[in-house]
Amino acid sequence: MTPAGFAAIMDRAYVQMRPWSAQDIADTLAAKHNTMLHRETGGLIAQLVADECEILALATEPMTQRQGVASSLLSELITLAHEQGVTRIFLEVANGNRSARAFYAAHGFAPVGQRRAYYTLRDGTKDDAVLLSLAIA
């Protein structure tokens, strides 16, 4: 999947959030420890450093949401992270994004912190970020 292709998916999937541009994605993927996992209808970008992994972006086409694409990507990331010696996966999710929070909770992620006014929404307002963590063996 190209950065432009993933940016287009993010634009359709992130209805309240400001999506990444193709250049944002390309720049992120150029960093040494970053990787992208993808399917035809979704993608995940993560940073794996030492024993930690941070999910930077996860998006699927709205028409394929709740069909296992994101779960498949997350499962692949957990396997990859485990193989690389990672013991914990982190991410931030917008406080108002209840479906994403429920998705991560269903996969064992627990809240560990909060960042006030972290996200700028499409309408220009701010939303807090909830920090989530998952220990992996």
Side-chain angles (χ1 to χ4, degrees):
M1 178 174 299
T2 66
F6 191 44
I9 290 173
M10 291 176 84
D11 185 49
R12 290 185 290 273
Y14 289 12
V15 292
Q16 292 182 335
M17 303 296 298
R18 200 167 19 160
W20 294 18
S21 70
Q23 190 62 55
D24 293 335
I25 293 166
D27 291 346
T28 299
L29 293 175
K32 179 179 178 183
H33 299 286
N34 294 350
T35 190
M36 180 176 188
L37 308 173
H38 59 87
R39 305 288 184 271
E40 185 177 331
T41 60
L44 181 153
I45 298 174
Q47 180 178 72
L48 295 99
V49 179
D51 65 345
E52 292 185 353
C53 173
E54 181 180 5
I55 297 173
L56 303 175
L58 172 60
T60 60
E61 287 285 4
M63 68 184 168
T64 63
Q65 290 176 355
R66 302 191 192 287
Q67 294 181 12
V69 176
S71 292
S72 172
L73 290 164
L74 185 57
S75 177
E76 184 179 346
L77 176 66
I78 290 169
T79 299
L80 175 66
H82 179 72
E83 289 170 353
Q84 293 190 17
V86 168
T87 60
R88 186 161 301 278
I89 299 176
F90 297 94
L91 69 120
E92 297 140 350
V93 64
N95 185 52
N97 190 342
R98 300 204 189 290
S99 61
R101 291 178 61 193
F103 169 80
Y104 288 112
H107 287 84
F109 284 81
V112 294
Q114 188 171 26
R115 291 190 173 130
R116 300 267 179 223
Y118 184 78
Y119 289 109
T120 301
L121 305 181
R122 287 187 188 225
D123 66 5
T125 62
K126 298 282 189 176
D127 194 4
D128 295 344
V130 178
L131 305 172
L132 302 175
S133 176
L134 173 71
I136 61 173

